Amino acid sequence: MSNMDMSNMDMDMGGGQMMHMGNLKRKFWVSLILTLPILLMSPMMGMQLPFQLIFHPWSDYLVALIGTVIFIYGGQPFFSGAKAELKNKKPAMMTLIAMGIGVAFVYSIYAVVANNIMHATPQVTDFFWELATLIDIMLLGHWIEMNTVMNAGSAVDNLAKLLPSTAHKLVNGETQDVAIADLVKDDHIQVRAGEKIPADGVIVSGNTSVNEAMVTGEARLVEKQTDAKVVGGSVNGEGTFEMRVTGTGETGYLAQVMKLVTDAQAAKSSQENMADRVAGLLFYAALTVSIVAFIVWLLVGNLALALSIAVTVLVIACPHALGLAIPLVVARSTAIAASHGLLIRNRDAMEQVKKLNYALMDKTGTLTAGNFKVAEYQSLEPQVKADDVLKIMASLENGSSHPLAVGILKAAKAKKLTAAEVTDSHQITGVGLSGTVAGQTYQIVSAAYLDRQKLAYDQATFNRLASAGNSVSFLVQDQQVLGYVAQGDQIKPESKNLIDSLKAQKITPVMLTGDNEQSAQVVAKQLGITEVHASLLPEDKAKLVQKYQADGSRVMMIGDGVNDAPSLARADIGVAIGSGTDVAIDSADIVLVKSNPNDVVEFLELARQTTRKMTQNLWWGAGYNVITIPLAAGILAPIGFILNPMVGAVVMSLSTVIVAINAMTLRLRK
């Protein structure tokens, strides 16, 4: 993510108008360079500075020419954004900026003509200084904002990458490699060992095991036999099978997930941010005050005075500080987040934290480690040592990629137990596996097999281990149970603190999982979660998010698998585990780079502080306007006070400085 080319990013400039990142950066630098001569030759609100180079009338004409270039070139994105906002009848930041720079430009051109051609007395004050600096600051603010929006790519594109590019189509008993786009329903295809399954279908011949972790989020292989359904995008195990295609293109499982993600992301994009709402109010306020002031001063004074005051009101309303209020806080917040292993991909999600009611979370890979570890292994016969049980089982499992096998092999390696040579190794469908070690035949089986064969074993021990959420495998020789290995998907040590913290913040934790009810309840009980939804499909999770949102509640979703992508996108706040799939990450608003559940707690704290700083900055930025607009309109004229434009400029600059300092004081408390 950090290596992406930010110059290729686009940003919504209001009402759906998109601004290319490279164009915005170039416009800022060009406008800034052109602003320098204006600062040297144009008085700031009529105030002459010692370093200024003024040579009448040519300096005025040159300033007007440069100001026109900045106005047209640098102001273009704001006029485009304002056009879209007005078209949608929602004037906001773009409209306020466009109004300010538009009025400043027109009046400044009038001032140049009046002063140098019509020789007006007294001279008319121009606003080229304010025009140029406002455009520069607003371009800078949007550039900062875009730099902080980390977009790691398209979730939909990553979903498409789960499918292979070709499939082995069976034609008259022979295979032909064809593009998956050419597959149609009821085509027969062959899937070989280790390949990705190219489409949804039903197995017509052959047995295998399929790794569906990329689709379901569950770290386990699923045994598949004739008539079993398979999902496109999952990975075939060691067997080769033939299947009949049941879903391709828009009817396939991944296509449906892609549609859910796309629809959910589109629904979220309509959210407005606080700065735009404040800017919209300021637009109406400034316009109204300006018109009223013009009418009043036209009646009590003259046209020149009324026009000057009306224009001053509109120019002073330009949101210099307001334009930086949000981007500076976002930039600071993003930097802090990155240093704490948090990747903020959608800043709007942070505003939702203060209203958060529910935290929905996936189990496997989110609350648990996502891989199986040996919790206990024992011998049940005195002539066999416990380590021998583990060694024999590791020998039988050697070379297997099944999660349970991987757990046994890791435990044996940790104990420095060397796997023995195995002959006649084969899977026992629906039971386990069998093989010969040192001339003796062994089997690894489940408790269900022992029950069917009426073989005696320690059921109390089995119940204890199973009730703790473990999967228990038994080693059998000649119908005698020699020992067992129990392993489970371990709960992350930080998960309990996450649940306790959520409860302390009055946020209800809810577990969503594709796993079975028993395993889910075991984990939920240990963590203190009372609301559990198990055996869920991706669309079920997305529907549950909507169900919890139905009464206006705000929902955060935490997950890591492809099946979590639609719900991550649909939730008010989507939090992805960094070790999860690219699709889940690309569908989320927040990514936990370290895959640490405790980082959710830090995110919630950072989000609250960030929102607080945003609110404070908006008050500083808008507060300047609230005070200076009435003063510029002459509300205190009866007592002899009308705001001097120079004083307004100083207050405007001070407001901008305060906003910047306030943003830099953002901290994440430990």
Side-chain angles (χ1 to χ4, degrees):
M1 291 183 187
S2 60
N3 294 329
M4 76 167 290
D5 183 2
M6 295 298 294
S7 65
N8 292 326
M9 285 184 61
D10 291 335
M11 181 178 179
D12 192 342
M13 297 295 286
Q17 291 290 319
M18 301 306 293
M19 182 64 199
H20 192 276
M21 177 62 179
N23 292 341
L24 188 61
K25 179 180 178 180
R26 183 168 58 251
K27 284 182 182 293
F28 166 72
W29 283 114
V30 171
S31 298
L32 180 63
I33 292 171
L34 291 176
T35 297
L36 297 178
I38 291 182
L39 297 180
L40 290 174
M41 292 184 288
S42 178
M44 182 185 72
M45 283 286 191
M47 181 175 63
Q48 297 284 349
L49 299 176
F51 57 80
Q52 287 179 325
L53 301 175
I54 298 177
F55 38 97
H56 292 299
W58 302 111
S59 60
D60 290 347
Y61 294 146
L62 185 56
V63 166
L65 177 61
I66 298 173
T68 300
V69 174
I70 295 176
F71 173 73
I72 295 173
Y73 179 73
Q76 179 272 325
F78 307 112
F79 284 109
S80 297
K83 180 181 178 181
E85 289 178 353
L86 293 174
K87 183 178 180 180
N88 293 332
K89 299 179 181 180
K90 291 182 179 180
M93 183 70 76
M94 297 296 113
T95 307
L96 184 58
I97 296 170
M99 179 182 69
I101 63 178
V103 170
F105 174 73
V106 172
Y107 190 78
S108 296
I109 293 295
Y110 158 72
V112 171
V113 174
N115 294 336
N116 297 285
I117 298 177
M118 301 173 62
H119 303 291
T121 302
Q123 287 202 331
V124 182
T125 301
D126 68 67
F127 295 98
F128 281 117
W129 190 95
E130 292 71 31
L131 169 68
T133 56
L134 176 62
I135 290 176
D136 291 345
I137 288 177
M138 290 304 152
L139 288 173
L140 175 62
H142 284 87
W143 182 19
I144 291 173
E145 189 174 11
M146 291 175 71
N147 267 305
T148 59
V149 179
M150 308 298 290
N151 187 345
S154 168
V156 176
D157 288 344
N158 278 293
L159 278 166
K161 291 176 185 177
L162 293 181
L163 293 174
S165 58
T166 60
H168 311 302
K169 184 177 179 179
L170 290 167
V171 180
N172 298 324
E174 297 183 357
T175 60
Q176 297 179 1
D177 287 349
V178 299
I180 61 169
D182 295 333
L183 291 178
V184 296
K185 186 178 180 181
D186 293 329
D187 274 351
H188 281 237
I189 59 176
Q190 182 186 76
V191 181
R192 297 163 186 168
E195 292 183 337
K196 289 183 178 180
I197 299 174
D200 294 0
V202 175
I203 295 178
V204 294
S205 68
N207 298 321
T208 189
S209 57
V210 177
N211 181 354
E212 297 182 336
M214 286 294 287
V215 176
T216 65
E218 306 297 330
R220 58 189 174 89
L221 288 175
V222 180
E223 298 297 328
K224 300 288 185 179
Q225 304 174 35
T226 302
D227 295 330
K229 294 180 180 180
V230 291
V231 178
S234 52
V235 181
N236 184 28
E238 297 179 355
T240 296
F241 64 91
E242 296 178 6
M243 59 174 278
R244 176 175 56 84
V245 175
T246 59
T248 62
E250 295 183 358
T251 63
Y253 173 88
L254 284 180
Q256 297 301 314
V257 175
M258 289 162 69
K259 184 177 185 302
L260 287 169
V261 173
T262 302
D263 291 348
Q265 288 178 332
K268 183 183 291 186
S269 65
S270 63
Q271 295 176 347
E272 296 180 317
N273 61 57
M274 292 187 292
D276 276 343
R277 292 195 292 271
V278 173
L281 294 174
L282 284 176
F283 167 77
Y284 287 114
L287 190 61
T288 302
V289 172
S290 177
I291 294 173
V292 172
F294 177 79
I295 295 173
V296 171
W297 285 103
L298 184 62
L299 294 175
V300 301
N302 54 60
L303 178 60
L305 178 61
L307 184 61
S308 174
I309 288 178
V311 170
T312 300
V313 169
L314 294 176
V315 173
I316 281 180
C318 292
H320 285 68
L322 192 60
L324 290 176
I326 299 299
L328 286 178
V329 174
V330 171
R332 174 65 178 166
S333 176
T334 302
I336 294 174
S339 67
H340 286 77
L342 302 171
L343 185 60
I344 310 297
R345 301 185 68 250
N346 178 14
R347 65 177 176 82
D348 291 335
M350 302 184 79
E351 298 179 24
Q352 303 294 331
V353 168
K354 61 183 179 182
K355 307 172 186 176
L356 201 57
N357 305 107
Y358 295 96
L360 279 56
M361 59 199 79
D362 180 46
K363 178 180 75 69
T364 305
T366 301
L367 296 173
T368 65
N371 53 69
F372 288 91
K373 296 181 180 179
V374 172
E376 183 178 314
Y377 65 95
Q378 290 291 342
S379 168
L380 298 178
E381 292 294 331
Q383 72 273 19
V384 180
K385 296 180 180 179
D387 281 354
D388 291 336
V389 171
L390 182 61
K391 179 178 179 179
I392 294 171
M393 294 180 75
S395 300
L396 295 172
E397 297 280 19
N398 195 20
S400 173
S401 59
H402 192 287
L404 290 174
V406 172
I408 291 174
L409 291 168
K410 285 183 178 179
K413 183 178 180 180
K415 287 286 186 177
K416 297 181 179 180
L417 302 175
T418 303
E421 183 179 350
V422 179
T423 59
D424 193 26
S425 177
H426 61 275
Q427 295 282 338
I428 306 175
T429 304
V431 176
L433 59 85
S434 174
T436 302
V437 179
Q440 300 292 322
T441 300
Y442 299 92
Q443 295 173 316
I444 298 178
V445 300
S446 64
Y449 173 83
L450 298 181
D451 291 335
R452 288 196 299 271
Q453 298 297 319
K454 297 182 180 180
L455 299 180
Y457 64 98
D458 189 343
Q459 292 194 356
T461 298
F462 169 76
N463 291 334
R464 172 178 62 83
L465 294 170
S467 63
N470 290 295
S471 174
V472 184
S473 302
F474 292 89
L475 180 65
V476 176
Q477 181 190 27
D478 296 331
Q479 299 296 297
Q480 184 178 11
V481 180
L482 302 182
Y484 64 84
V485 171
Q487 51 184 324
D489 188 6
Q490 303 298 307
I491 294 175
K492 292 181 180 179
E494 305 88 357
S495 295
K496 186 65 168 67
N497 181 66
L498 167 61
I499 302 305
D500 292 343
S501 178
L502 290 173
K503 290 181 177 179
Q505 299 176 58
K506 301 188 183 306
I507 300 172
T508 303
V510 182
M511 181 189 294
L512 309 183
T513 180
D515 209 344
N516 62 75
E517 183 75 23
Q518 183 182 9
S519 297
Q521 289 294 347
V522 169
V523 174
K525 184 177 180 180
Q526 292 182 50
L527 294 177
I529 300 174
T530 56
E531 294 192 36
V532 179
H533 300 273
S535 303
L536 300 176
L537 297 173
E539 55 268 31
D540 296 330
K541 291 187 177 183
K543 288 176 182 177
L544 278 169
V545 170
Q546 289 181 288
K547 179 181 178 181
Y548 278 98
Q549 291 173 324
D551 62 354
S553 296
R554 295 293 193 273
V555 173
M556 174 171 65
M557 175 67 195
I558 311 170
D560 69 331
V562 172
N563 66 325
D564 299 320
S567 48
L568 285 169
R570 177 67 65 183
D572 298 286
I573 305 173
V575 180
I577 298 297
S579 61
T581 66
D582 289 342
V583 178
I585 290 172
D586 292 332
S587 304
D589 304 306
I590 315 297
V591 179
L592 309 183
V593 177
K594 296 182 293 186
S595 303
N596 186 340
N598 258 346
D599 288 345
V600 175
V601 180
E602 291 198 337
F603 159 69
L604 295 176
E605 172 64 20
L606 179 61
R608 288 192 172 92
Q609 291 200 43
T610 298
T611 303
R612 190 178 304 119
K613 288 292 183 182
M614 286 181 178
T615 303
Q616 292 170 355
N617 270 7
L618 287 175
W619 274 109
W620 279 112
Y624 154 80
N625 297 84
V626 171
I627 295 172
T628 56
I629 287 177
L631 294 178
I635 193 172
L636 297 182
I639 63 173
F641 179 82
I642 297 180
L643 180 67
N644 188 312
M646 180 182 69
V647 176
V650 172
V651 175
M652 176 181 65
S653 300
L654 180 62
S655 176
T656 304
V657 171
I658 292 174
V659 162
I661 293 175
N662 190 48
M664 292 303 103
T665 59
L666 177 63
R667 297 283 188 276
L668 182 59
R669 293 193 298 266
K670 288 294 185 180

